[in-house]
Amino acid sequence: MIRSRFAQKSLKYLAIAVGAGFVLLLLGATLLMMSSNTPFVKNYLSRIVLESRQRTLAIDGDLSWSFSMTPAIDLHIGHVSLSERNATQTFATFDGAQASLHLWPLLSQQIVLERIELIGPKVRLVRHPDGTLNIDDLLASDGHDKPLPKFSIAAARITDGELSWFDEAAARHATLSAIQLDTGRLANATNDTLEFSARLQAPQTNDINIKLQTRYDFDLDLPTPRFTIDQLDAQFSTMIGATRLAGRIDTPIVFNHAARTLQLEKITGEMSFTGMQPPLPPLSFSGNLRGDFMRQTAEGKLTGQFADSRITADINIMKITPLSAAVDLDIDRFDADRYLPASTGRRSDTSFDPALLEHLDLRGTLRIGSLHVAGATVHNFRFDIRKAINGSSSGLAITQTPDHAR
């Protein structure tokens, strides 16, 4: 009886091995035929994309496969471009890509990649005047809610990437260039580390260098997918005239996929200013921020320390795009004379272009309990800033209401 059961199990495992071997052999033969007829594969993929998405896929670079005894498929692709929907304008390109796909997991409907790398990807995002995006068709559901397949990617890398954003309604654009991204393991449910760096470029502003390091934790198989960042370490730097502004921000992040909300409950950070005369002390701050992407709103509170000045800021963003915000600042005391440069008869290198506020709806109040300036002290100083460009209105309206000065 025992021998009979053992024989049955042995035959079962043998049948599975033979079947799997046959599948792999068939796949290998298919890959061999495909690799010898890459023009057919390119044309086939282009036709599928054109029929399903009304976009033109052009695979201009080399397309090659190699089969290893792991067993795995090593895929290498050269330059690829994808057009806008029903248009010839380019939506996205990349200079090259490579990945290593394990074959055994495919038999159990799992996708396992040893690595995936994109070289020189460029994506152009556009927000049209009616509020729609040029990627809406790519994100649209086909009406069949299919469960997310099981997948695992050991590591992912993006080198020399670029992401451009165009807002046609507000006539604005910005670009993230020199994008470098390295992730740890990616899967339906996982936690690992991520490193990101880029340069933010926008008209009439200096470039901002950004660097991020974080540990992520997410589970896409839950009824409500969970995505959290245990601790984000963000660093940035830019030049304002001859002054270098640098800073860092540390915070955990919780994203609620169903409610489309973002929470930063424990923000800490610091900003430094170098190259100014007289030198400025660093500004340290802490606080929280909550954003609601469905309502396009955000609110938060920050407290900071600048030398012996205690600062509190209440932030209320009524609309994220285009930006409409109110900021109330309270400073207990501030000695302006300490930081004003001595008069040299030369113009300062640090300047501000009012055109940067052209598309903003910005309002707020600054209150200073004790302001020392030009040798005098003003108590309970306040001014209101309102900025709303709508045809004839322009500029800043400032009112001062000091109780008394001496």
Side-chain angles (χ1 to χ4, degrees):
M1 184 68 177
I2 295 177
R3 291 183 178 179
S4 177
R5 290 179 178 175
F6 177 76
Q8 290 178 357
K9 288 185 177 181
S10 299
L11 289 174
K12 178 181 178 181
Y13 293 145
L14 179 61
I16 293 174
V18 172
F22 177 76
V23 170
L24 293 177
L25 182 62
L26 183 62
L27 183 59
T30 303
L31 287 174
L32 182 61
M33 290 186 293
M34 291 172 62
S35 61
S36 62
N37 194 8
T38 53
F40 168 79
V41 176
K42 293 180 180 181
N43 292 334
Y44 176 76
L45 293 176
S46 298
R47 187 173 71 253
I48 292 297
V49 172
L50 183 61
E51 292 176 354
S52 61
R53 297 297 180 182
Q54 290 74 58
R55 292 172 180 259
T56 301
L57 175 69
I59 306 175
D60 304 319
D62 294 332
L63 182 61
S64 61
W65 297 266
S66 60
F67 188 76
S68 67
M69 298 305 295
T70 310
I73 302 172
D74 293 327
L75 176 65
H76 299 267
I77 306 176
H79 186 270
V80 173
S81 65
L82 182 66
S83 74
E84 296 283 2
R85 180 180 173 87
N86 294 322
T88 58
Q89 189 174 17
T90 301
F91 161 68
T93 68
F94 61 78
D95 295 329
Q98 54 186 356
S100 181
L101 174 66
H102 289 264
L103 298 182
W104 284 120
L106 293 177
L107 300 177
S108 56
Q109 298 182 343
Q110 297 184 36
I111 301 172
V112 178
L113 292 167
E114 185 64 28
R115 69 181 189 280
I116 184 169
E117 181 176 359
L118 278 177
I119 303 170
K122 294 178 175 59
V123 179
R124 180 178 179 270
L125 296 179
V126 180
R127 182 177 183 268
H128 302 301
D130 61 359
T132 60
L133 301 175
N134 66 332
I135 58 172
D136 286 345
D137 65 300
L138 300 177
L139 302 178
S141 173
D142 58 3
H144 303 285
D145 293 332
K146 301 176 182 178
L148 187 68
K150 296 294 182 181
F151 72 94
S152 176
I153 304 173
R157 167 173 287 185
I158 293 176
T159 59
D160 196 24
E162 182 176 295
L163 176 64
S164 300
W165 166 255
F166 295 85
D167 189 332
E168 294 179 343
R172 291 180 300 171
H173 71 272
T175 302
L176 271 179
S177 62
I179 295 176
Q180 301 287 128
L181 173 68
D182 284 282
T183 76
R185 182 174 178 267
L186 302 173
N188 300 74
T190 187
N191 64 83
D192 214 315
T193 59
L194 174 151
E195 294 186 0
F196 172 87
S197 63
R199 182 169 60 250
L200 177 62
Q201 300 169 299
Q204 300 175 321
T205 63
N206 292 322
D207 294 354
I208 301 176
N209 298 309
I210 303 170
K211 185 177 182 180
L212 308 177
Q213 292 181 327
T214 188
R215 171 170 286 277
Y216 54 84
D217 183 357
F218 60 83
D219 191 338
L220 304 179
D221 291 333
L222 295 175
T224 300
R226 185 193 77 246
F227 182 83
T228 60
I229 292 180
D230 295 336
Q231 191 65 34
L232 172 68
D233 177 12
Q235 302 176 35
F236 63 90
S237 63
T238 187
M239 296 296 296
I240 303 176
T243 301
R244 181 178 184 270
L245 171 64
R248 65 167 184 82
I249 299 176
D250 298 323
T251 180
I253 300 177
V254 178
F255 178 68
N256 187 316
H257 181 269
R260 297 293 195 273
T261 59
L262 190 70
Q263 299 183 23
L264 291 73
E265 293 292 346
K266 297 180 180 178
I267 301 173
T268 60
E270 185 177 83
M271 294 176 61
S272 62
F273 315 86
T274 56
M276 294 192 70
Q277 293 298 328
L280 292 180
L283 167 66
S284 60
F285 56 89
S286 61
N288 60 78
L289 182 67
R290 297 183 181 185
D292 187 326
F293 293 103
M294 293 186 69
R295 297 181 178 179
Q296 285 281 298
T297 61
E299 60 180 5
K301 184 171 185 176
L302 296 174
T303 59
Q305 192 73 35
F306 182 78
D308 56 357
S309 300
R310 180 74 172 174
I311 305 171
T312 301
D314 289 305
I315 304 168
N316 182 17
I317 299 177
M318 291 78 74
K319 191 175 183 181
I320 296 177
T321 305
L323 183 62
S324 176
V327 180
D328 290 327
L329 289 172
D330 281 286
I331 304 176
D332 60 351
R333 58 181 179 271
F334 184 70
D335 185 354
D337 287 347
R338 184 188 304 179
Y339 310 112
L340 291 176
S343 178
T344 60
R346 294 181 300 175
R347 187 176 178 178
S348 172
D349 291 333
T350 302
S351 60
F352 176 76
D353 188 352
L356 297 178
L357 300 177
E358 184 177 352
H359 298 289
L360 299 183
D361 175 9
L362 181 63
R363 66 200 73 173
T365 303
L366 171 62
R367 290 179 290 268
I368 304 177
S370 177
L371 172 63
H372 186 76
V373 59
T377 300
V378 179
H379 295 283
N380 298 321
F381 179 86
R382 164 183 172 146
F383 68 84
D384 298 325
I385 301 178
R386 297 183 180 90
K387 179 70 172 65
I389 300 292
N390 53 9
S392 60
S393 73
S394 62
L396 298 177
I398 303 178
T399 60
Q400 304 179 58
T401 58
D403 280 1
H404 63 276
R406 70 175 184 270

mmCIF file of all heavy atoms in Angstrom, residues 45 48 76 96 99-102 120-121 138 148 166 196-197 201 205 212 225 247 261 316 321 372 391 402:
data_model
loop_
_atom_site.group_PDB
_atom_site.id
_atom_site.type_symbol
_atom_site.label_atom_id
_atom_site.label_comp_id
_atom_site.label_asym_id
_atom_site.label_seq_id
_atom_site.Cartn_x
_atom_site.Cartn_y
_atom_site.Cartn_z
ATOM 1 N N LEU A 45 3.507 44.281 -31.740
ATOM 2 C CA LEU A 45 3.296 45.088 -30.532
ATOM 3 C C LEU A 45 2.738 46.464 -30.898
ATOM 4 O O LEU A 45 1.855 46.988 -30.216
ATOM 5 C CB LEU A 45 4.611 45.226 -29.768
ATOM 6 C CG LEU A 45 5.175 43.936 -29.156
ATOM 7 C CD1 LEU A 45 6.536 44.212 -28.520
ATOM 8 C CD2 LEU A 45 4.218 43.358 -28.122
ATOM 9 N N ILE A 48 -0.992 46.144 -31.696
ATOM 10 C CA ILE A 48 -1.811 45.932 -30.493
ATOM 11 C C ILE A 48 -2.040 47.252 -29.763
ATOM 12 O O ILE A 48 -3.162 47.574 -29.350
ATOM 13 C CB ILE A 48 -1.133 44.920 -29.555
ATOM 14 C CG1 ILE A 48 -1.135 43.528 -30.192
ATOM 15 C CG2 ILE A 48 -1.828 44.889 -28.202
ATOM 16 C CD1 ILE A 48 -2.512 42.953 -30.418
ATOM 17 N N HIS A 76 16.296 42.703 -23.501
ATOM 18 C CA HIS A 76 16.978 43.980 -23.750
ATOM 19 C C HIS A 76 16.241 44.713 -24.869
ATOM 20 O O HIS A 76 15.992 44.145 -25.936
ATOM 21 C CB HIS A 76 18.441 43.751 -24.152
ATOM 22 C CG HIS A 76 19.246 43.051 -23.107
ATOM 23 N ND1 HIS A 76 19.978 43.721 -22.158
ATOM 24 C CD2 HIS A 76 19.426 41.721 -22.860
ATOM 25 C CE1 HIS A 76 20.575 42.848 -21.366
ATOM 26 N NE2 HIS A 76 20.261 41.627 -21.765
ATOM 27 N N GLY A 96 16.526 52.911 -23.390
ATOM 28 C CA GLY A 96 16.803 51.485 -23.269
ATOM 29 C C GLY A 96 16.166 50.905 -22.021
ATOM 30 O O GLY A 96 15.836 51.630 -21.078
ATOM 31 N N ALA A 99 15.465 43.657 -18.405
ATOM 32 C CA ALA A 99 14.798 42.964 -17.302
ATOM 33 C C ALA A 99 15.141 41.491 -17.388
ATOM 34 O O ALA A 99 15.499 40.975 -18.463
ATOM 35 C CB ALA A 99 13.291 43.173 -17.359
ATOM 36 N N SER A 100 15.008 40.811 -16.257
ATOM 37 C CA SER A 100 15.247 39.374 -16.192
ATOM 38 C C SER A 100 14.014 38.717 -15.583
ATOM 39 O O SER A 100 13.694 38.944 -14.415
ATOM 40 C CB SER A 100 16.494 39.072 -15.354
ATOM 41 O OG SER A 100 16.740 37.681 -15.298
ATOM 42 N N LEU A 101 13.291 37.931 -16.392
ATOM 43 C CA LEU A 101 12.023 37.327 -15.984
ATOM 44 C C LEU A 101 12.213 35.842 -15.702
ATOM 45 O O LEU A 101 12.657 35.082 -16.571
ATOM 46 C CB LEU A 101 10.980 37.514 -17.096
ATOM 47 C CG LEU A 101 9.637 36.817 -16.911
ATOM 48 C CD1 LEU A 101 8.882 37.419 -15.737
ATOM 49 C CD2 LEU A 101 8.801 36.915 -18.189
ATOM 50 N N HIS A 102 11.851 35.410 -14.475
ATOM 51 C CA HIS A 102 11.914 33.991 -14.124
ATOM 52 C C HIS A 102 10.721 33.254 -14.738
ATOM 53 O O HIS A 102 9.591 33.759 -14.747
ATOM 54 C CB HIS A 102 11.918 33.820 -12.612
ATOM 55 C CG HIS A 102 13.197 34.257 -11.971
ATOM 56 N ND1 HIS A 102 14.220 33.393 -11.668
ATOM 57 C CD2 HIS A 102 13.627 35.488 -11.588
ATOM 58 C CE1 HIS A 102 15.230 34.060 -11.118
ATOM 59 N NE2 HIS A 102 14.888 35.336 -11.061
ATOM 60 N N GLY A 120 17.135 56.554 -19.406
ATOM 61 C CA GLY A 120 16.710 57.762 -20.104
ATOM 62 C C GLY A 120 15.224 57.877 -20.388
ATOM 63 O O GLY A 120 14.854 58.353 -21.470
ATOM 64 N N PRO A 121 14.339 57.474 -19.459
ATOM 65 C CA PRO A 121 12.904 57.647 -19.734
ATOM 66 C C PRO A 121 12.501 59.112 -19.665
ATOM 67 O O PRO A 121 12.982 59.865 -18.820
ATOM 68 C CB PRO A 121 12.235 56.836 -18.627
ATOM 69 C CG PRO A 121 13.215 56.889 -17.494
ATOM 70 C CD PRO A 121 14.577 56.876 -18.137
ATOM 71 N N LEU A 138 -5.011 55.947 -20.480
ATOM 72 C CA LEU A 138 -4.151 54.857 -20.016
ATOM 73 C C LEU A 138 -4.582 54.351 -18.642
ATOM 74 O O LEU A 138 -4.353 53.181 -18.311
ATOM 75 C CB LEU A 138 -2.691 55.315 -19.966
ATOM 76 C CG LEU A 138 -2.084 55.782 -21.291
ATOM 77 C CD1 LEU A 138 -0.664 56.280 -21.077
ATOM 78 C CD2 LEU A 138 -2.116 54.659 -22.327
ATOM 79 N N LEU A 148 -5.286 42.098 -8.990
ATOM 80 C CA LEU A 148 -3.897 42.384 -9.328
ATOM 81 C C LEU A 148 -3.097 41.092 -9.335
ATOM 82 O O LEU A 148 -3.170 40.308 -8.376
ATOM 83 C CB LEU A 148 -3.306 43.362 -8.308
ATOM 84 C CG LEU A 148 -1.913 43.914 -8.597
ATOM 85 C CD1 LEU A 148 -1.955 44.839 -9.802
ATOM 86 C CD2 LEU A 148 -1.379 44.667 -7.380
ATOM 87 N N PHE A 166 2.870 70.129 -17.916
ATOM 88 C CA PHE A 166 2.336 71.298 -18.607
ATOM 89 C C PHE A 166 0.888 71.510 -18.157
ATOM 90 O O PHE A 166 0.067 70.602 -18.278
ATOM 91 C CB PHE A 166 2.381 71.109 -20.127
ATOM 92 C CG PHE A 166 3.766 71.001 -20.695
ATOM 93 C CD1 PHE A 166 4.419 69.779 -20.713
ATOM 94 C CD2 PHE A 166 4.415 72.119 -21.200
ATOM 95 C CE1 PHE A 166 5.697 69.672 -21.232
ATOM 96 C CE2 PHE A 166 5.687 72.019 -21.722
ATOM 97 C CZ PHE A 166 6.336 70.798 -21.736
ATOM 98 N N PHE A 196 16.094 58.486 -4.252
ATOM 99 C CA PHE A 196 15.647 59.268 -5.396
ATOM 100 C C PHE A 196 16.381 60.598 -5.410
ATOM 101 O O PHE A 196 16.593 61.226 -4.372
ATOM 102 C CB PHE A 196 14.134 59.510 -5.294
ATOM 103 C CG PHE A 196 13.582 60.458 -6.324
ATOM 104 C CD1 PHE A 196 13.177 59.996 -7.565
ATOM 105 C CD2 PHE A 196 13.463 61.817 -6.052
ATOM 106 C CE1 PHE A 196 12.655 60.866 -8.515
ATOM 107 C CE2 PHE A 196 12.943 62.696 -6.988
ATOM 108 C CZ PHE A 196 12.539 62.215 -8.225
ATOM 109 N N SER A 197 16.756 61.044 -6.601
ATOM 110 C CA SER A 197 17.352 62.375 -6.747
ATOM 111 C C SER A 197 16.914 62.953 -8.085
ATOM 112 O O SER A 197 16.666 62.219 -9.052
ATOM 113 C CB SER A 197 18.882 62.319 -6.662
ATOM 114 O OG SER A 197 19.415 61.558 -7.727
ATOM 115 N N GLN A 201 13.107 72.163 -12.397
ATOM 116 C CA GLN A 201 13.319 73.359 -13.217
ATOM 117 C C GLN A 201 11.975 73.967 -13.586
ATOM 118 O O GLN A 201 11.040 73.257 -13.957
ATOM 119 C CB GLN A 201 14.086 72.992 -14.492
ATOM 120 C CG GLN A 201 15.463 72.393 -14.234
ATOM 121 C CD GLN A 201 16.073 71.803 -15.486
ATOM 122 O OE1 GLN A 201 15.530 70.888 -16.085
ATOM 123 N NE2 GLN A 201 17.226 72.338 -15.899
ATOM 124 N N THR A 205 12.696 80.783 -12.252
ATOM 125 C CA THR A 205 13.211 80.347 -10.950
ATOM 126 C C THR A 205 14.527 79.615 -11.168
ATOM 127 O O THR A 205 14.790 79.083 -12.245
ATOM 128 C CB THR A 205 12.229 79.411 -10.227
ATOM 129 O OG1 THR A 205 12.049 78.220 -11.006
ATOM 130 C CG2 THR A 205 10.892 80.077 -9.990
ATOM 131 N N LEU A 212 16.060 62.291 -1.999
ATOM 132 C CA LEU A 212 15.177 61.632 -1.043
ATOM 133 C C LEU A 212 15.714 60.260 -0.688
ATOM 134 O O LEU A 212 16.253 59.545 -1.540
ATOM 135 C CB LEU A 212 13.757 61.459 -1.621
ATOM 136 C CG LEU A 212 13.050 62.683 -2.193
ATOM 137 C CD1 LEU A 212 11.701 62.274 -2.769
ATOM 138 C CD2 LEU A 212 12.859 63.740 -1.122
ATOM 139 N N PRO A 225 -6.056 49.371 -0.293
ATOM 140 C CA PRO A 225 -4.585 49.279 -0.318
ATOM 141 C C PRO A 225 -3.930 50.251 0.664
ATOM 142 O O PRO A 225 -4.363 51.388 0.813
ATOM 143 C CB PRO A 225 -4.239 49.636 -1.761
ATOM 144 C CG PRO A 225 -5.458 49.269 -2.542
ATOM 145 C CD PRO A 225 -6.613 49.577 -1.645
ATOM 146 N N GLY A 247 18.158 72.842 2.676
ATOM 147 C CA GLY A 247 17.294 72.391 3.760
ATOM 148 C C GLY A 247 17.087 70.903 3.753
ATOM 149 O O GLY A 247 17.460 70.198 2.812
ATOM 150 N N THR A 261 -6.182 60.731 0.628
ATOM 151 C CA THR A 261 -5.641 61.695 1.592
ATOM 152 C C THR A 261 -4.195 61.367 1.902
ATOM 153 O O THR A 261 -3.768 60.213 1.823
ATOM 154 C CB THR A 261 -6.460 61.705 2.895
ATOM 155 O OG1 THR A 261 -6.448 60.389 3.471
ATOM 156 C CG2 THR A 261 -7.890 62.148 2.631
ATOM 157 N N ASN A 316 -3.395 77.118 5.223
ATOM 158 C CA ASN A 316 -4.668 76.642 4.709
ATOM 159 C C ASN A 316 -4.654 76.784 3.192
ATOM 160 O O ASN A 316 -4.680 77.894 2.665
ATOM 161 C CB ASN A 316 -5.840 77.431 5.307
ATOM 162 C CG ASN A 316 -7.180 76.912 4.827
ATOM 163 O OD1 ASN A 316 -7.277 75.796 4.313
ATOM 164 N ND2 ASN A 316 -8.208 77.724 4.973
ATOM 165 N N THR A 321 -4.321 73.206 -7.221
ATOM 166 C CA THR A 321 -4.013 73.608 -8.597
ATOM 167 C C THR A 321 -5.218 74.273 -9.237
ATOM 168 O O THR A 321 -6.270 73.640 -9.362
ATOM 169 C CB THR A 321 -3.603 72.395 -9.448
ATOM 170 O OG1 THR A 321 -2.524 71.705 -8.820
ATOM 171 C CG2 THR A 321 -3.187 72.828 -10.829
ATOM 172 N N HIS A 372 12.108 95.129 16.125
ATOM 173 C CA HIS A 372 13.160 96.138 16.278
ATOM 174 C C HIS A 372 13.750 96.405 14.905
ATOM 175 O O HIS A 372 14.319 95.521 14.259
ATOM 176 C CB HIS A 372 14.241 95.646 17.231
ATOM 177 C CG HIS A 372 15.272 96.684 17.541
ATOM 178 N ND1 HIS A 372 15.042 97.738 18.400
ATOM 179 C CD2 HIS A 372 16.552 96.838 17.087
ATOM 180 C CE1 HIS A 372 16.127 98.489 18.474
ATOM 181 N NE2 HIS A 372 17.062 97.965 17.680
ATOM 182 N N GLY A 391 -7.088 90.491 -13.999
ATOM 183 C CA GLY A 391 -7.232 91.609 -14.932
ATOM 184 C C GLY A 391 -6.560 92.858 -14.417
ATOM 185 O O GLY A 391 -5.366 93.047 -14.538
ATOM 186 N N PRO A 402 0.729 99.280 14.122
ATOM 187 C CA PRO A 402 1.482 99.209 15.370
ATOM 188 C C PRO A 402 0.732 99.908 16.497
ATOM 189 O O PRO A 402 0.130 100.972 16.299
ATOM 190 C CB PRO A 402 2.794 99.934 15.050
ATOM 191 C CG PRO A 402 2.416 100.899 13.979
ATOM 192 C CD PRO A 402 1.337 100.242 13.176
#
